Amino acid sequence: VSAGGTFGQPTPGATSTVDNSGIIFGIAKGVAIDSQGLVTNAAGAVIIGGSFAVGFSNTAGIALLGTLDNFGTIDGTAGAGAYLQSGGTIVNGANGQPGALIDGGSFGVLLGAAEPATVTNYGMIAGTYPGAVGAIFEAAGSTLFNAGTIIGAGGTAVELAGGDRLVLDPGAVFGGVVEDGGGNGVLELASAAT
């Protein structure tokens, strides 16, 4: 599924919406959005792509925020499960519903340097190949709330850019280290009530 632009050029003012309740499969890309917009993957639904399963990207140098709400399975077989080039928001699962999965061969989620991103995880995010990272934040000032599991098969679960905010729920699990590459990050411990 490709939306929001022509040959990678975003359509000015375009907002794209994809609601998936079935199966989307792409050899290279599952869902590719070249504008700002929203992708919702319902419980039981599947999105699969090679280089990425869900990606918000553009080549025009315009910061276009993407939103991904996942309650099913998102699988980037060789690359990233989810890719937000210019920041935005990812919600994986819901409180009390930990079955959501975002995984990728190289990265579970890859968040670009153009704008800060926010990731809220109640399910599992995983980078599955040897050397893979669970989640990479390339923009300073991003936020990660983790109440689920984040795994990096290469030994790094999360790589932060610096100046980021990491909020840990009592149920948070990391399969690998959490690196704050630029320093000056903030660690918050959430209460059991959240």
Side-chain angles (χ1 to χ4, degrees):
V1 176
S2 180
T6 304
F7 302 110
Q9 299 295 324
T11 301
T15 299
S16 301
T17 301
V18 175
D19 292 317
N20 180 44
S21 297
I23 298 174
I24 296 174
F25 172 80
I27 294 174
K29 302 171 183 178
V31 176
I33 305 294
D34 294 316
S35 67
Q36 57 192 4
L38 168 65
V39 174
T40 302
N41 194 47
V46 178
I47 301 175
I48 300 172
S51 56
F52 59 73
V54 176
F56 291 85
S57 58
N58 69 84
T59 58
I62 303 170
L64 298 170
L65 303 182
T67 299
L68 169 61
D69 292 335
N70 177 51
F71 305 97
T73 297
I74 293 176
D75 179 16
T77 54
Y83 171 53
L84 272 59
Q85 180 180 11
S86 300
T89 302
I90 295 175
V91 177
N92 188 45
N95 193 10
Q97 300 176 15
L101 170 65
I102 300 175
D103 71 358
S106 300
F107 317 100
V109 297
L110 175 60
L111 306 152
E115 295 286 340
T118 299
V119 174
T120 300
N121 179 48
Y122 292 98
M124 178 177 287
I125 296 172
T128 58
Y129 284 4
V133 178
I136 293 184
F137 293 78
E138 295 182 340
S142 295
T143 299
L144 169 61
F145 173 83
N146 186 30
T149 300
I150 303 177
I151 298 171
T156 300
V158 178
E159 186 176 306
L160 300 169
D164 298 310
R165 179 171 170 248
L166 175 60
V167 184
L168 300 183
D169 185 83
V173 174
F174 294 99
V177 300
V178 177
E179 297 181 354
D180 186 4
N184 300 313
V186 175
L187 173 63
E188 298 181 16
L189 302 178
S191 71
T194 57

